[in-house]
Amino acid sequence: MDDHSHEPDPDKRMTAPMQEFGSREVGVGAAVTLVGLLIAYAVPFLATF
């Protein structure tokens, strides 16, 4: 059987929950969340005035 996988060894692949992350990634996630909340709530609220 031919292996048509795009990865060198699919059995050694790591998924996101298994990978470690640092404070930089936490900061980026918090910033993205803040921008998303501003777009979702603040912009429509300010547009009503």
Side-chain angles (χ1 to χ4, degrees), residues 2-24:
D2 292 333
D3 183 16
H4 296 287
S5 174
H6 295 285
E7 298 180 28
D9 188 359
D11 295 330
K12 292 186 179 180
R13 136 181 111 187
M14 290 182 63
T15 58
M18 294 170 52
Q19 296 174 349
E20 294 184 13
F21 56 91
S23 59
R24 181 182 184 278

